[in-house]
Amino acid sequence: MSSPEDLNKTYECAEVERRWLDQWRDEDFYFDWGSAKPRYIIDTPPPYPTGRLHIGHALNWVYMDIIARYKRMRGYNVMFPQGWDCHGLPTEVKVEEIHGITKNDIPRDEFRQKCRDLTHENIERMRTSLRLMGFSIDWSSEYITMEEKYYSLTQASFLRMLKDGYIYQSEHPVNYCTRCETAIAFAEVAYTENTTLLNYFTFDGVEIATTRPELLAACVAVAVHPDDARYAKLRGQSLTVPLFSHQVPVVEDESVDPTFGSGAVMICTFGDKQDVVWWKTHNLDLRKAIDQTGTMTSICGRYSGMKAKECRSAILADMEESGILIRQEDLPQRVGTCWRCRTPIEILSERQWFVKVKQDEILKAAKEVSWYPEHMLVRLENWTSQMEWDWCISRQRLFATPIPVWFCSACGEMIIPDEADLPVDPTLISPKNPCPSCGSTEFSGETDVLDTWMDSSISPLAITRWDGKTTPEHYPTQLRPQGHDIIRTWAFYTILRSMALTGEKPWDSILVNGMVLGEDGFKMSKSRNNVITPDELIDRYGVDALRQWAAVGSATGSDITFSWNDVVAASRFQTKLWNIVRFSLLQIRKDDTTPAVHPTELADRWLLSHLSATITEVTEALDAYQFDRGLKSIRDFAWSILADNYLELVKGRLYGDTPSRAGAVYTLKVTLEALCGMLAPYIPFFASECYYHLTGNRIIDQSWPDLRLQDTAAIRDGDLLVSVVALLRKYKHDAGLALNAPLGHVTIYTPQMAIDDGGDAGRTTNAEIEWRSEEPHLDRIISDITFNMGIIGPTFRKEAGAVMQAIRSLPSESLAGVVSSVQINESEVAIPEGAFSPVYSYTIEGEEVDVLMIGDVVLAIRKRA
């Protein structure tokens, strides 16, 4: 670590960031389980370990790190844990791709081990990236969901909810991906817009329209609206399914839309969710036409063994050949697809495990949580209210938490392990004891695994050291930060599970962030060539510039469009502030000691009053998680108030040896230390470097700035002082004078207030400044006239010169009023409004002065001869 006196001319972000990474220790950010401080536990999102941090990760973790650093400075015992949500389909697909295999080509546990190996490699790469970005993570609270310590808690939570009736097994229609060969939950269904064919064909004499002719073998009824007179004669009748010849009933249902298609609807098991509703409502048969691999089953006759798309083409061809295909129309369609592979989902009826969705319980808990921003609660309420099916939690994959259940091979009794024996893989080991019902020792272990959301939805319990039984002492957590795209999954499932396992909400507050869009305003994707990685941003401008971009780019909850201009602006702000610190340190170090007294000069009190207001503003912003508002306040103060105004006001004092110089030095030191404190959560590397040079200490060991100075008079008078100096500088510029040129004597009349600026205005403008709290006694005379030739010329043409001379000849009292006409050659000539303006000069005690105005404040300038 360099000496506090060594301050480079330019700010080298890469060198500074490397040096401070070496100085910070993991222990600096550990949560103290025995601390008496108020706790602040952040239930951070565990990313999926792909091996690479994307810009969305960077945004999320910057938000969380700002909160963690801020809360520590406010005196909280903070836990900022790091988790890894390991299980799931993407890793299996990647392993299959890397090794050129499928999950069924090698033994189950060997495949799982390959998944674990890849995940460990990816975690290590991402862990390194997080460390290089300087996030103040509590690595002692790190968790990895695929490790036994964690997934034993997942299994314990499963057994608890099974015992309490929240979890059950049943055959029920579920969303199913035939490519991934697993059930998926509704929250994992992605939707795409598509155009398909609506096919009209004759169904035993009735015209039917369908988009899924390949499901004709699964037809179990035809539905019509009860008020549709066209089909009144079909009531109570049966129809023969074309090409397959089985009989199906005609049912009446008010949810049938008579205006769509032919008004008669084919019910298949299952084409869509509505088919499921009708199937349940009318207690219809179940016919499975598509199996788990997307292949047509034996009930499809000669079409069996075909894939669904192939079967569709074959059936349409046969319909056309047999003369029952009437016509086809294009139809816009919203297709549900697998979130991972984008394969269109099927709805299959399979035996699966489910969690009961108790909507009232979930909504009650959600409303007890403070939502930032508030309107995000509506998203969860809407999703919860429209849930029609329970949460399907079983998956037909391998790399996931095993479902800890066996079934007796003799009697079918369900056997569960003791919680003390967890974790267990029922495909590898058997129960310790014989079947309690029949005494058999032959068992089949459950081969399905748990949805990966079953792991991550207990994250607030896991990080607060849940034992699988009792509610932890440090529960609930204080904050859940997450993206709006996973409200219907992670937020929803966590609330559900928390209520089931503890009866409490999982967090006090939830902070919802938006997504990062490319510079073109679209979601980042390789196909659009608009992807920006954190690495390329950091390589060019450093971590702190990235953090500023993330903090100031948009309001919490809103999507943020990436912009290189914003990153450049962030870097320039750091350069500006670095130059301020360098200049200030040169002045601070001129004195051996800085007086520990409150400064008395107006400019100093003005700056400290604005600093106090800025601290209050930034504190309120961070308490409300309004990161953009807080950083903008800091930037405005540092750039406008400190750099552009205060430093210009006090340079004369700083360069001199007046007694009031010490006040300026003290003010600068206090201000810069407070600025470093406010910036520490936002740009910790930069703030640490500046603070060290100012004090020799670490900013991460300091408390949040606390300056309670409510000097309204100093704000009012100081604002006037700043305005006066700005006006005099403009006057010099307009007069062609150099800013440091002597100006002369300036008398400033402030009728409502007495001002003593300690000489700062005079030194700044190189003028003799005299402040008077009285009304000025000015004499005003007309010294010239300016003519608006745009009016005079077109109106009077050849007579313009005579008109202007006549106007100039008028007495002053007439020129000061309204001149509507003048006499020219004994003729009265009308003068248009705006044709001329009098130019006034001012005198004080007979001496001519220039006058400037700021409201009722008058500046009288006696120019130096």
Side-chain angles (χ1 to χ4, degrees):
M1 178 63 70
S2 64
S3 164
E5 285 73 34
D6 299 331
L7 200 61
N8 293 334
K9 185 175 181 179
T10 58
Y11 180 69
E12 302 293 344
C13 60
E15 186 271 330
V16 168
E17 289 168 7
R18 282 194 303 270
R19 183 151 34 81
W20 281 103
L21 283 176
D22 291 339
Q23 291 297 312
W24 294 332
R25 304 162 301 174
D26 285 354
E27 293 82 0
D28 290 328
F29 309 119
Y30 282 175
F31 181 77
D32 183 355
W33 291 91
S35 174
K37 292 181 179 180
R39 71 176 183 269
Y40 195 88
I41 300 176
I42 307 172
D43 180 24
T44 55
Y48 201 83
T50 61
R52 193 173 186 85
L53 289 181
H54 57 66
I55 198 72
H57 288 135
L59 177 77
N60 295 356
W61 264 255
V62 167
Y63 283 175
M64 293 184 288
D65 194 50
I66 290 172
I67 296 165
R69 290 178 181 274
Y70 169 67
K71 290 295 183 180
R72 290 191 195 98
M73 294 181 78
R74 292 299 302 273
Y76 286 88
N77 179 28
V78 173
M79 182 196 292
F80 176 14
Q82 180 60 51
W84 305 100
D85 189 14
C86 308
H87 290 134
L89 189 57
T91 299
E92 291 194 31
V93 172
K94 194 66 178 177
V95 166
E96 290 175 331
E97 176 187 317
I98 291 171
H99 297 281
I101 59 174
T102 71
K103 66 184 177 72
N104 300 317
D105 290 342
I106 59 176
R108 180 186 182 98
D109 201 51
E110 183 179 340
F111 185 84
R112 288 168 58 90
Q113 186 57 49
K114 289 185 182 298
C115 291
R116 285 190 287 267
D117 292 342
L118 176 61
T119 302
H120 277 302
E121 294 172 10
N122 288 343
I123 287 175
E124 188 54 41
R125 286 198 294 269
M126 294 177 74
R127 189 187 284 131
T128 299
S129 296
L130 290 172
R131 285 186 174 277
L132 287 175
M133 293 178 73
F135 298 126
S136 59
I137 290 168
D138 175 5
W139 291 103
S140 69
S141 298
E142 183 181 24
Y143 62 89
I144 300 175
T145 60
M146 69 178 181
E147 291 185 348
E148 289 187 351
K149 180 181 178 181
Y150 190 98
Y151 81 76
S152 65
L153 293 178
T154 303
Q155 289 188 331
S157 69
F158 173 91
L159 295 177
R160 281 278 307 279
M161 293 176 69
L162 179 66
K163 179 181 178 182
D164 293 342
Y166 271 93
I167 289 178
Y168 63 94
Q169 191 182 37
S170 173
E171 178 160 337
H172 189 279
V174 294
N175 294 313
Y176 201 93
C177 175
T178 56
R179 156 61 182 83
C180 301
E181 297 183 27
T182 184
I184 61 175
F186 269 111
E188 296 170 311
V189 177
Y191 290 91
T192 59
E193 301 302 322
N194 189 22
T195 299
T196 190
L197 286 176
L198 182 62
N199 305 281
Y200 291 82
F201 69 102
T202 301
F203 192 114
D204 198 9
V206 177
E207 184 177 294
I208 294 285
T210 182
T211 60
R212 300 290 307 272
E214 68 272 21
L215 292 179
L216 193 59
C219 179
V220 291
V222 171
V224 297
H225 194 280
D227 297 332
D228 193 335
R230 292 174 296 174
Y231 302 113
K233 62 183 180 181
L234 295 180
R235 290 173 185 164
Q237 303 296 311
S238 293
L239 298 175
T240 302
V241 178
L243 305 184
F244 295 95
S245 302
H246 62 277
Q247 297 288 303
V248 296
V250 176
V251 299
E252 294 179 319
D253 197 290
E254 291 186 350
S255 61
V256 174
D257 181 1
T259 65
F260 178 77
S262 66
V265 183
M266 180 174 74
I267 302 176
C268 301
T269 53
F270 297 95
D272 55 24
K273 283 177 62 178
Q274 185 59 57
D275 280 345
V276 178
V277 173
W278 284 329
W279 173 70
K280 283 184 174 181
T281 301
H282 300 285
N283 194 27
L284 301 172
D285 292 338
L286 176 66
R287 293 178 64 87
K288 297 182 182 182
I290 300 178
D291 69 13
Q292 296 176 359
T293 66
T295 302
M296 308 312 293
T297 66
S298 59
I299 71 165
C300 298
R302 76 179 195 85
Y303 309 101
S304 64
M306 294 182 179
K307 291 296 184 179
K309 188 175 182 180
E310 180 187 2
C311 178
R312 177 183 302 191
S313 298
I315 286 182
L316 286 173
D318 288 347
M319 284 182 172
E320 188 168 16
E321 184 179 346
S322 61
I324 65 173
L325 183 61
I326 302 171
R327 65 186 182 281
Q328 295 175 306
E329 298 174 354
D330 286 338
L331 179 71
Q333 187 180 45
R334 191 164 180 257
V335 180
T337 62
C338 172
W339 68 278
R340 173 60 189 171
C341 67
R342 302 301 174 181
T343 299
I345 62 164
E346 299 290 349
I347 298 180
L348 305 182
S349 183
E350 304 291 340
R351 192 156 190 83
Q352 303 283 352
W353 293 89
F354 297 88
V355 169
K356 290 181 180 177
V357 174
K358 299 185 178 182
Q359 293 164 312
D360 292 344
E361 186 175 89
I362 295 167
L363 291 172
K364 176 179 179 295
K367 291 174 182 176
E368 293 174 356
V369 175
S370 298
W371 289 72
Y372 296 91
E374 288 184 23
H375 67 266
M376 289 295 173
L377 171 59
V378 175
R379 294 198 185 190
L380 185 126
E381 289 178 325
N382 290 342
W383 175 252
T384 304
S385 299
Q386 70 184 30
M387 288 290 291
E388 298 173 357
W389 298 355
D390 287 335
W391 173 20
C392 177
I393 59 169
S394 47
R395 299 290 181 267
Q396 292 69 55
R397 298 298 301 187
L398 300 181
F399 185 49
T401 297
I403 296 177
V405 167
W406 297 271
F407 294 95
C408 175
S409 299
C411 69
E413 178 77 10
M414 181 190 299
I415 312 296
I416 61 174
D418 293 333
E419 289 190 15
D421 295 331
L422 299 177
V424 299
D425 185 341
T427 67
L428 298 178
I429 63 173
S430 296
K432 292 181 177 179
N433 302 309
C435 174
S437 294
C438 70
S440 173
T441 57
E442 297 294 324
F443 305 95
S444 60
E446 175 62 80
T447 58
D448 282 0
V449 292
L450 289 172
D451 177 4
T452 187
W453 291 110
M454 284 289 284
D455 291 328
S456 58
S457 60
I458 61 165
S459 59
L461 283 163
I463 62 176
T464 52
R465 295 185 173 178
W466 185 47
D467 62 2
K469 300 173 184 177
T470 57
T471 302
E473 177 186 352
H474 292 81
Y475 196 80
T477 63
Q478 279 57 64
L479 182 69
R480 154 65 67 82
Q482 67 163 73
H484 62 59
D485 57 319
I486 51 174
I487 287 176
R488 67 180 192 174
T489 49
W490 197 33
F492 174 81
Y493 293 144
T494 305
I495 294 173
L496 183 160
R497 299 261 274 148
S498 177
M499 293 302 292
L501 294 167
T502 72
E504 296 183 45
K505 63 184 180 183
W507 345 275
D508 296 331
S509 303
I510 181 169
L511 172 66
V512 181
N513 63 270
M515 311 298 290
V516 181
L517 307 178
E519 287 193 282
D520 56 3
F522 290 92
K523 182 179 179 181
M524 286 191 179
S525 66
K526 291 181 180 178
S527 63
R528 298 194 67 91
N529 195 30
N530 65 350
V531 175
I532 300 295
T533 67
D535 289 344
E536 58 185 301
L537 193 159
I538 293 168
D539 288 344
R540 292 172 64 178
Y541 295 102
V543 173
D544 281 337
L546 179 150
R547 293 173 67 100
Q548 282 196 70
W549 159 78
V552 85
S554 70
T556 307
S558 301
D559 291 341
I560 175 173
T561 300
F562 179 81
S563 168
W564 280 111
N565 289 337
D566 292 342
V567 180
V568 171
S571 179
R572 287 176 178 167
F573 171 68
Q574 289 168 198
T575 298
K576 179 74 171 180
L577 204 50
W578 183 255
N579 291 335
I580 292 172
V581 173
R582 286 187 71 248
F583 168 80
S584 300
L585 277 172
L586 289 174
Q587 308 309 317
I588 292 169
R589 290 169 184 164
K590 285 181 181 179
D591 294 336
D592 293 331
T593 58
T594 301
V597 294
H598 199 286
T600 58
E601 300 301 345
L602 173 59
D604 302 336
R605 292 184 287 111
W606 172 79
L607 180 69
L608 293 175
S609 297
H610 273 293
L611 175 63
S612 177
T614 301
I615 292 172
T616 298
E617 171 73 6
V618 176
T619 302
E620 291 176 354
L622 288 179
D623 283 341
Y625 310 111
Q626 295 172 350
F627 310 116
D628 57 331
R629 171 186 157 199
L631 185 53
K632 287 173 183 175
S633 296
I634 296 172
R635 283 180 172 183
D636 289 345
F637 173 83
W639 204 295
S640 176
I641 295 174
L642 174 60
D644 291 350
N645 289 303
Y646 177 76
L647 287 179
E648 295 303 320
L649 278 172
V650 301
K651 276 181 181 177
R653 256 196 289 158
L654 291 171
Y655 292 150
D657 57 2
T658 64
S660 61
R661 181 185 186 282
V665 170
Y666 171 84
T667 301
L668 271 179
K669 196 169 188 302
V670 169
T671 299
L672 290 175
E673 289 179 13
L675 262 179
C676 288
M678 287 188 286
L679 285 170
Y682 287 103
I683 47 176
F685 294 105
F686 182 90
S688 294
E689 184 74 358
C690 292
Y691 191 80
Y692 177 73
H693 284 291
L694 285 163
T695 69
N697 299 316
R698 299 195 313 169
I699 192 67
I700 64 171
D701 299 325
Q702 309 308 310
S703 298
W704 184 249
D706 184 13
L707 180 65
R708 302 179 187 182
L709 181 64
Q710 296 179 335
D711 191 339
T712 55
I715 293 283
R716 179 199 65 203
D717 296 350
D719 286 349
L720 176 60
L721 171 60
V722 167
S723 298
V724 164
V725 169
L727 192 58
L728 290 175
R729 286 187 155 200
K730 182 179 184 300
Y731 173 85
K732 277 188 163 185
H733 178 271
D734 293 344
L737 296 172
L739 291 181
N740 61 350
L743 181 59
H745 187 91
V746 181
T747 304
I748 306 173
Y749 297 92
T750 57
Q752 308 300 324
M753 62 196 84
I755 302 291
D756 179 6
D757 73 357
D760 283 332
R763 284 185 290 267
T764 304
T765 59
N766 197 5
E768 298 170 6
I769 302 290
E770 178 186 5
W771 295 84
R772 290 188 184 179
S773 56
E774 60 185 48
E775 296 281 353
H777 300 291
L778 294 173
D779 292 321
R780 187 174 74 161
I781 60 173
I782 295 176
S783 59
D784 198 0
I785 295 173
T786 60
F787 292 96
N788 185 341
M789 297 310 296
I791 296 176
I792 293 288
T795 303
F796 300 108
R797 299 184 182 278
K798 293 181 179 181
E799 300 296 323
V803 170
M804 290 191 289
Q805 182 59 42
I807 293 172
R808 287 185 183 279
S809 300
L810 293 173
S812 296
E813 57 271 20
S814 297
L815 290 170
V818 177
V819 177
S820 58
S821 64
V822 295
Q823 290 290 127
I824 299 178
N825 299 327
E826 299 182 357
S827 297
E828 187 170 336
V829 177
I831 303 300
E833 184 178 352
F836 74 94
S837 301
V839 176
Y840 292 98
S841 294
Y842 296 86
T843 63
I844 295 180
E845 299 173 356
E847 183 178 358
E848 186 175 342
V849 296
D850 285 348
V851 171
L852 305 175
M853 306 284 290
I854 303 174
D856 62 353
V857 174
V858 176
L859 285 70
I861 304 171
R862 294 182 178 90
K863 291 179 285 187
R864 189 179 296 276

